[in-house]
Amino acid sequence: MSDAPTSAPAAPGRSDGEAAPASHTRIVDTPENRVHHPSDLLGVVLSLVGAVLVMVLATYAHNTTSGVAEDVEGVASLLQDLLVVPTALLESVVTFFVPTAVLIELAFRRLGRQMLEGVAAAVASVLASSTVLWLVEHLGSDELVAGLSVRLGGTWTVTVPGYIALIAGLLTATGPRTRRRTVLWSWNLVWVAIGIMVITGSVSITGIGLSLLIGRAGGLATRYVSGVRSERAYGSSLVAGIRRAGFDPELLVRVPDAVPTDDSPVPDDEPGTPAARGMARYSDHRVYEMTTVTGSQYDVLIYDGDRQVIGFLSRLWRSIRLRGLDGRSTVSLRQAAERSALLSYTASAAGVRAPQLHAVSEADASMILVQDRVADAVPLADLDPDAIDDEALRAIWAQLGTAHEAGLAHRALTSDVVLLGRDADGAPQVWLIGWEQGDVASSELAQRMDRTQMVALLALRVGPARALESAVAVLDEGDIAAIGPLLQTVALPQRTREELRAHKQVLAELRSALVARLPQADVEPVALNRFGARTLITILLTVAAVIVLLTTINLQTILDALAETDWRLSLLAFAFGMSTLFGAALTLVAFAPQKIPLWRATVTQSAATFVALAAPAGIGPAALNLRLLTKRGVSGALATATVALVQVSQFVVTLLMLLVLSVASGTNQLERFTISPTVVLAIGILVGLIAALMLVPRVRQWVAAKTVPTLQQTWPRLIEVVGQPSRLLLGIAGNALTTLGYVLAFEVCLRAFGQNLSLVQVAIVFLVGNTAGSVAPTPGGVGTTELALGGALAVVGVNPGVATSVAVLFRVLTYWLRIPVGWAAMRYLRKVGEL
């Protein structure tokens, strides 16, 4: 940190209302001369995405691009004859004089570093464009090559002009056109040259677009890696901005914003009050302690424009990802400052104890907010838990209640924004700071989120029991019960989430304490995420599987087979597929602890075919079975054990059926699935790795945590069912019917394509393919199951093209055509109140 005195002209002093004499302002700061602007990184990503889209357009919109090329080809020769001198001149100017003019201006301005950055960006861009050109020519598809080509001298030539990428990279790295006249005129000249070259047919539209985007990406990447000159208000510029707000500073001290990594005490000479340090930690803004020439003390918050990009992207991501929790659209720096001022004034007017905002001004690319200093209060994060007594907890909830009564919601309550102080009599005084993310005229959901965040941060400070008791003392039962479903990490601010990583049991203990206090309260987390990482992976896997499937399927073969074969075979396969629903219903009825009508169980299994559209294979039926049992009064633990028993029994019965069919056939059909020595070696290595991992205690604990609860739930229920032979036989019969129904449907689909396999082979292929396809977390196993079934058929000698077609036909008849039936079943179950 530097201690640099800065002289600045005098301005009226706000503290005494009179004009202050010229002063010598002392600034203790760590100015950042160069910053890595997030908008440059965002520009790199967008440019690369645009380049990919241009290549996709050149590949799949080839007719359009080639049509444009043919349209200009007819007039290209005429224009070239008329514009020979201008075209050649423009190309020379673009390739030589533009870089020279820009570099000369930088040299005259003694901006050596920017000269080097511009040259580096130009070299990186031309190398990148040359690499892309080589890859397209040698590895690109015929469609991509044709889309980037134009006819030159009677032959089609790929055109990705490297000099355009060079110029674009140089001009981008040099800076915006509004700063330097040579950059402005150079861009204009480049666009004119590009237009003439496209019209004369010298380059393709897609090729020139690809070059420009590569150059932009190279220039922006260079700017981000090297950093750009900071446009933030520092030094005399900062002092001038504060004086425009009406204050004459004598001393400005930067408050450090580093979050302590341990519980060590703060040094006595650390700049800033505890409240100011808390402000610096919770936000991305700079915080200064200011002392005016009259001795008055204030806190100064600086909003920097380059940091606003990160805040905007973060809010945008949360608004897309979360349901109704963050829908605000603050874009510009001025909007952010004005919103913060509005919330600050509103909170103070509502009676909330918050720092009084005095003035807002602007300096360079920064907004300046001057507010009262909170001298005698300490953030909860810096307090010992013993210092937070019950009276202080009541005062904390009272301040939040005052804000909610005025329609305010904070939306970002952490242990850094809740401050605790004491008056002369020792009574607690609570401050709520950091209102810039809040809401005026807030919704009920936003206020529920505030209460959830408050009880979570208090649980981290004083323990779950005391935190909940403090909330019960001031909130009614409805508000307390509403906290339960929102007690999840995604609903909490980042600082609280970081603290919870070190105390992972706090939320679970808080839910337990809530249930103990209100046994009827529903603490099941509500779905706040529209999607998460698992959903994104599921979507990507599904899209990839469908693309692979569509590129390998022989649709004409399927149509020919359906046209040539007896339509009754397809109807028979569909009927066998529907019979599996009846078999699954028999198993559920047999193992259910309460009597369930067979019709109602069958309808539930039918509804599962519709749920499979959004759930991975096997999850849909299990979820609906669990819901059906719980709606009929079965406890959660017993319902879970029953569903687990249904799934385990299905797996065991399927394996037993394979063994029985193999023995009954009199031949060892399993020999057809020979295993190569390489596969045996791979399996041995895999088994060895698993055994080695099981020697690690934490791995064993994780495996036990995942398997032991299921076994503990299933085993007592299994013992109970075994003691009732009639139920056990009924369950086994249902499992056998389910497996046999799928096997027979698969057999019929094979015969539709003229393929004859033994029943044991069909059963093995179905078991292997269906199991492998269900491993991938795609909805209903879409794509992966078809590929796995086709691959298993190919192993037993079926032509790969025919195998894929058989697998697709089987899935159409046993999965896709059952979805309308599942939709109708779902509507019926909702109507009668079973779901």
Side-chain angles (χ1 to χ4, degrees):
M1 179 174 292
S2 63
D3 188 347
T6 303
S7 297
R14 173 69 61 88
S15 56
D16 58 4
E18 298 178 357
S23 62
H24 194 71
T25 303
R26 180 166 168 261
I27 303 175
V28 181
D29 197 359
T30 53
E32 299 182 43
N33 295 323
R34 303 189 69 85
V35 296
H36 301 281
H37 208 299
S39 62
D40 290 336
L41 182 59
L42 178 62
V44 172
V45 175
L46 294 179
S47 298
L48 294 177
V49 171
V52 172
L53 292 178
V54 167
M55 289 190 287
V56 171
L57 178 66
T59 303
Y60 294 101
H62 175 62
N63 292 335
T64 301
T65 55
S66 61
V68 173
E70 292 173 359
D71 290 340
V72 302
E73 185 179 359
V75 296
S77 58
L78 176 61
L79 289 175
Q80 286 175 348
D81 292 337
L82 295 175
L83 302 173
V84 167
V85 175
T87 302
L89 180 60
L90 279 174
E91 290 181 356
S92 300
V93 169
V94 168
T95 55
F96 178 74
F97 289 106
V98 166
T100 303
V102 172
L103 293 176
I104 288 175
E105 182 185 4
L106 294 177
F108 272 114
R109 293 176 179 268
R110 298 182 179 180
L111 299 175
R113 177 165 180 164
Q114 282 192 285
M115 289 180 60
L116 294 177
E117 291 172 357
V119 172
V123 172
S125 299
V126 74
L127 289 177
S129 65
S130 300
T131 303
V132 170
L133 178 60
W134 185 89
L135 291 174
V136 170
E137 290 178 339
H138 292 81
L139 302 177
S141 63
D142 295 337
E143 293 81 4
L144 177 60
V145 171
L148 295 174
S149 301
V150 293
R151 188 182 296 275
L152 297 176
T155 60
W156 288 96
T157 305
V158 179
T159 55
V160 182
Y163 62 90
I164 294 296
L166 182 147
I167 299 302
L170 173 65
L171 296 179
T172 301
T174 303
R177 64 181 68 190
T178 55
R179 283 189 178 179
R180 296 178 180 87
R181 189 174 298 274
T182 56
V183 175
L184 172 63
W185 286 107
S186 296
W187 273 118
N188 294 337
L189 195 58
V190 166
W191 287 116
V192 172
I194 288 174
I196 292 178
M197 286 186 289
V198 170
I199 293 175
T200 57
S202 302
V203 295
S204 64
I205 297 177
T206 50
I208 203 73
L210 184 58
S211 295
L212 280 171
L213 290 169
I214 291 174
R216 286 286 294 174
L220 291 171
T222 303
R223 282 167 53 90
Y224 182 76
V225 172
S226 177
V228 296
R229 296 184 66 182
S230 175
E231 298 179 356
R232 302 174 182 176
Y234 285 108
S236 59
S237 176
L238 175 59
V239 173
I242 294 175
R243 285 180 171 162
R244 282 194 296 273
F247 296 86
D248 189 9
E250 182 179 33
L251 175 64
L252 283 173
V253 180
R254 175 78 174 270
V255 178
D257 55 2
V259 178
T261 57
D262 51 30
D263 296 330
S264 58
V266 178
D268 294 335
D269 59 350
E270 184 79 8
T273 63
R277 290 194 292 268
M279 280 189 284
R281 288 197 301 261
Y282 79 77
S283 68
D284 292 329
H285 315 311
R286 288 182 284 148
V287 179
Y288 292 84
E289 282 191 326
M290 179 177 70
T291 303
T292 66
V293 293
T294 60
S296 300
Q297 295 181 330
Y298 300 92
D299 285 331
V300 180
L301 277 68
I302 310 297
Y303 290 20
D304 294 316
D306 56 273
R307 295 188 176 186
Q308 189 64 22
V309 176
I310 298 178
F312 168 71
L313 294 177
S314 176
R315 289 190 297 271
L316 178 63
W317 171 247
R318 284 180 61 85
S319 64
I320 294 173
R321 184 187 177 199
L322 303 180
R323 300 176 186 272
L325 299 185
D326 201 319
R328 294 166 289 115
S329 57
T330 301
V331 178
S332 69
L333 175 65
R334 180 175 291 274
Q335 286 178 328
E338 290 174 348
R339 183 181 185 86
S340 179
L342 170 65
L343 267 296
S344 180
Y345 284 134
T346 307
S348 298
V352 179
R353 190 175 287 108
Q356 178 68 46
L357 180 66
H358 291 283
V360 180
S361 66
E362 185 175 11
D364 292 341
S366 301
M367 296 295 294
I368 302 171
L369 287 76
V370 181
Q371 64 182 30
D372 282 338
R373 179 177 300 180
V374 182
D376 300 326
V378 180
L380 296 187
D382 299 331
L383 281 176
D384 188 274
D386 295 335
I388 309 174
D389 54 21
D390 292 340
E391 189 178 2
L393 293 175
R394 286 193 295 271
I396 291 172
W397 285 107
Q399 283 294 306
L400 184 61
T402 301
H404 286 176
E405 289 175 0
L408 296 175
H410 192 283
R411 301 178 71 100
L413 289 168
T414 69
S415 55
D416 285 325
V417 303
V418 182
L419 313 180
L420 179 60
R422 301 281 176 174
D423 60 14
D425 298 328
Q429 288 186 329
V430 174
W431 298 71
L432 295 181
I433 62 175
W435 285 92
E436 58 263 27
Q437 297 186 39
D439 278 339
V440 179
S442 59
S443 65
E444 176 60 30
L445 176 59
Q447 295 187 7
R448 285 174 58 194
M449 293 294 300
D450 275 359
R451 290 188 283 268
T452 303
Q453 294 174 4
M454 182 65 80
V455 76
L457 75 89
L458 291 179
L460 287 166
R461 307 261 74 83
V462 301
R466 283 191 63 199
L468 185 62
E469 288 300 324
S470 69
V472 170
V474 297
L475 301 177
D476 56 41
E477 288 192 359
D479 291 335
I480 297 296
I483 290 175
L486 298 179
L487 278 175
Q488 43 190 308
T489 55
V490 71
L492 304 176
Q494 181 178 355
R495 178 67 192 277
T496 305
R497 293 199 301 268
E498 293 172 353
E499 293 177 340
L500 282 171
R501 293 192 186 102
H503 305 85
K504 298 181 179 180
Q505 76 284 356
V506 169
L507 284 185
E509 294 177 358
L510 198 53
R511 293 191 191 98
S512 300
L514 180 59
V515 172
R517 181 75 186 188
L518 298 175
Q520 74 280 7
D522 182 12
V523 297
E524 187 70 21
V526 297
L528 297 178
N529 278 331
R530 287 192 177 99
F531 59 87
R534 183 176 300 178
T535 305
L536 290 177
I537 294 174
T538 299
I539 293 173
L540 292 176
L541 289 176
T542 303
V543 171
V546 170
I547 291 174
V548 173
L549 182 64
L550 292 178
T551 55
T552 56
I553 184 177
N554 191 338
L555 183 60
Q556 188 60 44
T557 303
I558 295 179
L559 296 177
D560 293 342
L562 292 177
E564 296 174 2
T565 58
D566 192 344
W567 60 269
R568 287 172 291 187
L569 288 178
S570 298
L571 184 62
L572 180 61
F574 179 75
F576 280 135
M578 293 298 293
S579 69
T580 61
L581 303 178
F582 181 72
L586 284 177
T587 304
L588 179 62
V589 170
F591 293 156
Q594 291 188 4
K595 184 176 181 180
I596 298 177
L598 182 59
W599 161 251
R600 193 57 54 81
T602 305
V603 174
T604 302
Q605 307 312 306
S606 301
T609 61
F610 177 71
V611 177
L613 277 174
I619 301 300
L624 286 184
N625 289 341
L626 186 64
R627 184 65 175 171
L628 178 67
L629 293 172
T630 54
K631 287 287 286 186
R632 289 181 167 267
V634 181
S635 64
L638 187 57
T640 302
T642 302
V643 172
L645 180 59
V646 169
Q647 293 181 315
V648 171
S649 65
Q650 180 67 54
F651 177 74
V652 173
V653 169
T654 300
L655 290 180
L656 292 176
M657 284 187 62
L658 285 174
L659 294 176
V660 171
L661 288 173
S662 180
V663 173
S665 64
T667 59
N668 187 5
Q669 297 289 343
L670 296 176
E671 290 181 353
R672 293 292 300 273
F673 293 87
T674 57
I675 302 177
S676 66
T678 303
V679 175
V680 173
L681 178 61
I683 294 175
I685 294 175
L686 181 61
V687 171
L689 288 175
I690 294 175
L693 288 174
M694 292 302 293
L695 296 176
V696 180
R698 296 195 66 174
V699 175
R700 291 200 306 271
Q701 294 172 2
W702 181 83
V703 173
K706 295 295 183 181
T707 57
V708 172
T710 301
L711 295 176
Q712 290 176 340
Q713 291 176 342
T714 306
W715 184 254
R717 185 65 190 146
L718 177 62
I719 296 300
E720 183 179 352
V721 171
V722 169
Q724 300 175 341
S726 59
R727 286 194 169 213
L728 182 61
L729 291 176
L730 182 61
I732 293 175
N735 287 325
L737 178 59
T738 300
T739 302
L740 194 59
Y742 281 121
V743 170
L744 293 177
F746 199 44
E747 167 73 13
V748 172
C749 292
L750 279 166
R751 293 188 179 276
F753 285 87
Q755 305 297 315
N756 294 307
L757 297 177
S758 69
L759 190 61
V760 175
Q761 285 181 313
V762 175
I764 294 175
V765 167
F766 169 74
L767 174 65
V768 173
N770 191 64
T771 302
S774 301
V775 171
T778 59
V782 174
T784 55
T785 301
E786 288 84 346
L787 294 175
L789 288 173
L793 283 174
V795 171
V796 297
V798 179
N799 179 275
V802 176
T804 303
S805 301
V806 170
V808 171
L809 178 61
F810 170 74
R811 289 283 287 171
V812 168
L813 296 175
T814 60
Y815 176 75
W816 292 105
L817 290 184
R818 298 197 306 185
I819 290 175
V821 178
W823 176 80
M826 179 71 73
R827 292 286 301 272
Y828 171 77
L829 291 174
R830 286 180 175 174
K831 183 178 180 180
V832 299
E834 289 286 1
L835 296 180

